[in-house]
Amino acid sequence: MAEDLVLDTAIRDWVLIPLSVVMVLIGILRYFVSKLMRSSNQVPDPKMVKEGQVIIRARNLRAAANYIPAKSFRARRVYFSNEENGLLYVPKGQAQNAQAQMFSDPNMAMDMMKKNLSMIIPQTLTFAWVNFFFSGFVAAKIPFPLTQRFRSMLQNGIDLSTVDVSYVSSRSWYFLNLFGLRGLFSLILGEENATDDTQRMMQMSGFGFDPTKSLGAEKDSLDIFQHEWALPKFEQRAEAVLKKLVVSVPTPVAETIKTEEVKTVVEASKEEKVAATPAHEVVTEEQKQVTKEEVAEEQVQVTEEEVVTEEQKQVTEEEVAPEVVKEKQEEATKEEVAAPPAEKPAAPEAETKELAEEAVPEEAVAKDETKEPVEEKIEAEAPKEAVIDETKEEEAPKFTEEEKPAAKEE
Amino acid sequence: MASHDESSVSRKKSSDSVDEISTFNAENMQINAKIISYSRTFMSIIGGVIAGILGFTGLTGFIFYFLVMAIMSVGLAAKAGFSAHPYFDSWNQILLDGFLGGLLSFVLFWTFAYDMVHIF
C-alpha cells in the first residue's frame, strides 16, 4: 500500500525551506549572543586561575617527561606531589570548602543560568512555534523506510494509519534539522559554536568539580607515570643528521664560516678588553696555519703565543678568556706536535682528550664557552667528518656523566 | 572548500627510528584533525544532496553514503602521501574518524534534496 502521495508545492515553499532557514539563523544568532554575553563579565577568580595554571604545569610535565633525565623528572614530581608543601596536595578540608564556595557564589550561578538559558530557550521556542503552525499535515517524505514503531514519533499530527511511515510530519523535520545542522554549524561558525548538545552536556558536567578533584587526579596520574628516557641515542642521531648535511655541502662553507668568524672577532674586539683580542687573533691565525700547512706560520704563531701568554698573566679581569686562550695554545701546540693536517683525526682526538681532562676542574660556563669556539675552529679547518667524530665524543662525556648518576640511582 | 582545506595539511615532527618514543607536535595534529572533520562534514552534505537528486531510496542511499566516505578516505590518504606516520597518530584516524558523524547531516540533506526534486 505504498502509494505515492502528491504533495502540494506550497508545503515546500512555506514549511520546509522556512523551517530550515529559521533554524540556521537561530543557531547563528545564538552563537553570537553567547559570544557577546560571555565577554562582558569575564573577571576570573585569581585563586581559580592559579590552580588552573598549576594543573597545566603538571600536565606539561607529564607530557614532556621523557625528554628530561630521570633525576630531574623525579625532582619535579616531588615538588608537585610532596606531602607538606607540594603544589598538588590539597587537604580534605579545603577541598570541600572550595566546592561549596563555588556553588554559592552568585556570579557563577548567574553565569550557569545564562549559559543554560541561551541554549534551551531558542530550542523550546522553535519547537512550540513548529507545533503550533505546522501540525496536522504531511510535511516531507524521508527517502528510507522505517518500521511501524516509528509511526507515533514521526507522524504526530497525522491521524491516518494507512499512510506510509515515510511520510512524516513537520515535527520530525524539525528534529532532523536539529541534528543535521550541527555539522553545517561546525563548518560555517568555526570551532567555537555552542550549538552542539553533547558539548553543552560535557561543559555542564565538568564545571562543578574543576579545581579540587582535578588537582587530586593530576597528582595521582603524576605518581603513576613511568619515566622513560627518550633520548639515549640522540648523539648518534645527531651524528647521522650532521653526516647527511655535511655530505651534501662542499668546502666553500668552511671559508664562509671563517669569514664570519673574522667578522665576529672584529665586532667582539670592540667590546672586550685589549688582552682578549690577541686570543681571537690567535684563533684565526691558527686556522690559517692549519689549512695552509706552512711551517713558517707555525713558528710565527709560537712566538705570538708566547707573547700572548705573558700578556695574559698580567691581565686578570676576565676569568674565562685566559682559560680559553690557554686551552687554545695547548691545542695549537698539540696540533703542531701531532702531525701535519693530513692526520686530522688525531688532532680532534687529542683535543677531546684534553677537553675531557680539563672538563672536570672547570665550571660549566667555561666548559660551554670553550666547546663552542673549538667546534667552530675545527669546522673551519678539518673536513666535516672529523667534526662529527669530535662532536660525538664531546657530547658523549656530557651524556655519560648524566646517565651514570641516573643509572646508579636506578 | 574541501580542496582548499586539504591543501593545507601540515607536517609535524615525528621520530625517525621506530624504537624511540615518537614526538608529535600537538598543534599540528589538531589542525590535521580539524581538516579531516571539516572535509568529512562537507563531503557528507554534498553526498546527501547528490543522493537526493539522483533519487536513491532506502538502502541504496546508505550504501552511497559509505561509498562517499570511502572515497574521502582514499583522497585523504593520497593527500598524505599514503603514509600516515608523519601526519597522523595512526591509520585509523584517517580512515575511520568521523565516519558516522556526518551521517545525520547526510540524511538531512538527502531528505531535503529528495523532497525538492521528486515529491514537490
Side-chain angles (χ1 to χ4, degrees):
Chain A
M1 287 272 291
E3 68 274 357
D4 269 351
L5 294 182
V6 174
L7 298 175
D8 196 357
T9 316
I11 298 182
R12 172 187 65 186
D13 291 341
W14 295 101
V15 174
L16 290 192
I17 295 181
L19 195 50
S20 297
V21 166
V22 161
M23 290 191 72
V24 168
L25 289 179
I26 284 185
I28 296 177
L29 187 69
R30 187 164 53 175
Y31 166 69
F32 282 120
V33 163
S34 69
K35 244 173 95 167
L36 285 175
M37 287 204 331
R38 213 184 308 153
S39 62
S40 59
N41 52 349
Q42 197 71 6
V43 178
D45 189 15
K47 184 161 181 257
M48 213 71 70
V49 169
K50 219 164 77 166
E51 286 175 0
Q53 293 296 324
V54 164
I55 291 173
I56 290 175
R57 270 181 73 186
R59 236 175 253 163
N60 282 343
L61 173 64
R62 234 181 335 135
N66 292 324
Y67 303 117
I68 52 177
K71 196 168 62 168
S72 32
F73 169 70
R74 252 176 272 134
R76 286 174 173 83
R77 184 166 65 180
V78 162
Y79 174 66
F80 275 114
S81 51
N82 197 8
E83 287 288 314
E84 294 99 29
N85 55 354
L87 292 184
L88 291 179
Y89 186 70
V90 176
K92 297 245 171 100
Q94 282 185 17
Q96 297 295 330
N97 198 6
Q99 198 170 354
Q101 175 197 9
M102 185 165 22
F103 277 123
S104 64
D105 196 8
N107 277 345
M108 296 281 183
M110 276 306 294
D111 274 347
M112 276 175 69
M113 286 282 295
K114 275 187 203 169
K115 261 191 221 166
N116 289 347
L117 286 181
S118 74
M119 303 296 163
I120 293 180
I121 279 193
Q123 282 188 12
T124 355
L125 281 180
T126 316
F127 189 58
W129 176 63
V130 164
N131 267 344
F132 180 67
F133 281 109
F134 303 121
S135 61
F137 58 92
V138 171
K141 177 176 196 272
I142 51 179
F144 49 91
L146 289 173
T147 63
Q148 298 296 320
R149 287 173 175 270
F150 289 96
R151 186 185 286 269
S152 63
M153 189 170 71
L154 299 178
Q155 286 189 345
N156 204 356
I158 305 163
D159 296 327
L160 300 173
S161 59
T162 56
V163 175
D164 212 354
V165 191
S166 297
Y167 291 96
V168 297
S169 68
S170 47
R171 189 188 288 189
S172 63
W173 177 246
Y174 169 75
F175 280 117
L176 201 59
N177 265 322
L178 191 64
F179 293 121
L181 286 177
R182 264 189 294 167
L184 188 69
F185 284 141
S186 78
L187 279 183
I188 61 180
L189 294 181
E191 289 304 314
E192 289 283 324
N193 55 338
T195 55
D196 200 354
D197 290 347
T198 57
Q199 278 181 12
R200 174 178 57 137
M201 295 298 178
M202 281 180 353
Q203 279 175 12
M204 277 172 54
S205 64
F207 175 64
F209 310 113
D210 227 9
T212 58
K213 272 198 185 174
S214 55
L215 278 184
E218 278 297 322
K219 174 170 176 293
D220 290 338
S221 45
L222 202 56
D223 285 338
I224 288 175
F225 186 77
Q226 297 282 343
H227 178 262
E228 238 181 84
W229 173 236
L231 311 174
K233 302 195 187 128
F234 239 52
E235 53 262 26
Q236 271 84 357
R237 280 185 56 189
E239 169 189 357
V241 169
L242 280 176
K243 263 196 186 133
K244 276 193 231 161
L245 276 180
V246 159
V247 168
S248 59
V249 172
T251 46
V253 180
E255 294 174 2
T256 60
I257 290 180
K258 236 195 328 186
T259 56
E260 284 174 5
E261 270 194 317
V262 171
K263 284 181 199 167
T264 54
V265 163
V266 169
E267 292 170 357
S269 65
K270 293 177 190 170
E271 300 170 357
E272 292 178 2
K273 303 287 180 178
V274 177
T277 55
H280 295 279
E281 290 173 7
V282 166
V283 170
T284 56
E285 287 193 357
E286 282 176 358
Q287 296 164 11
K288 291 178 197 165
Q289 164 244 325
V290 177
T291 53
K292 291 184 184 175
E293 303 181 17
E294 288 184 11
V295 180
E297 286 192 356
E298 291 180 12
Q299 291 174 353
V300 167
Q301 195 186 3
V302 167
T303 56
E304 285 186 356
E305 285 169 5
E306 291 171 355
V307 169
V308 165
T309 50
E310 289 174 0
E311 291 180 357
Q312 287 298 321
K313 284 171 191 169
Q314 294 173 4
V315 177
T316 56
E317 286 186 4
E318 283 190 351
E319 298 176 354
V320 179
E323 289 175 354
V324 170
V325 171
K326 277 182 200 163
E327 279 190 353
K328 286 178 187 161
Q329 292 159 9
E330 291 174 12
E331 289 157 7
T333 53
K334 282 209 174 177
E335 279 180 4
E336 296 164 11
V337 167
E343 298 180 21
K344 279 161 194 168
E349 283 178 11
E351 291 166 4
T352 54
K353 280 182 199 165
E354 214 181 272
L355 282 175
E357 289 169 12
E358 295 180 353
V360 174
E362 283 182 1
E363 295 175 5
V365 174
K367 207 177 7 173
D368 288 338
E369 288 190 10
T370 54
K371 275 185 183 168
E372 284 172 10
V374 166
E375 284 177 12
E376 287 177 2
K377 178 182 64 174
I378 293 173
E379 277 178 358
E381 303 158 358
K384 301 288 179 161
E385 294 179 355
V387 171
I388 290 158
D389 291 335
E390 191 227 22
T391 54
K392 184 174 82 169
E393 290 173 11
E394 276 186 5
E395 292 176 17
K398 230 200 277 185
F399 277 105
T400 50
E401 281 177 11
E402 286 183 6
E403 278 179 347
K404 271 180 198 165
K408 276 182 199 166
E409 286 187 13
E410 286 171 1
Chain B
M1 192 171 166
S3 63
H4 175 72
D5 280 337
E6 283 181 9
S7 67
S8 55
V9 170
S10 46
R11 192 161 190 112
K12 61 183 161 67
K13 281 187 292 185
S14 64
S15 66
D16 292 330
S17 58
V18 185
D19 58 344
E20 293 187 17
I21 299 174
S22 51
T23 77
F24 289 109
N25 189 358
E27 190 182 304
N28 284 351
M29 269 186 73
Q30 254 185 349
I31 291 176
N32 291 351
K34 231 195 307 185
I35 287 176
I36 292 183
S37 83
Y38 282 165
S39 308
R40 283 204 189 271
T41 314
F42 191 66
M43 284 304 290
S44 60
I45 290 177
I46 297 287
V49 173
I50 292 176
I53 292 176
L54 291 179
F56 292 144
T57 59
L59 207 54
T60 323
F62 287 110
I63 292 177
F64 182 73
Y65 172 71
F66 286 114
L67 191 68
V68 166
M69 284 292 124
I71 291 177
M72 247 233 65
S73 300
V74 169
L76 265 181
K79 180 70 185 178
F82 286 109
S83 67
H85 191 55
Y87 297 111
F88 300 105
D89 242 341
S90 65
W91 270 106
N92 287 342
Q93 202 178 3
I94 298 185
L95 299 179
L96 301 178
D97 190 28
F99 223 71
L100 299 178
L103 188 63
L104 284 170
S105 304
F106 172 81
V107 166
L108 169 68
F109 282 93
W110 180 22
T111 309
F112 195 63
Y114 183 80
D115 285 345
M116 290 298 124
V117 171
H118 290 275
I119 305 295
F120 294 112

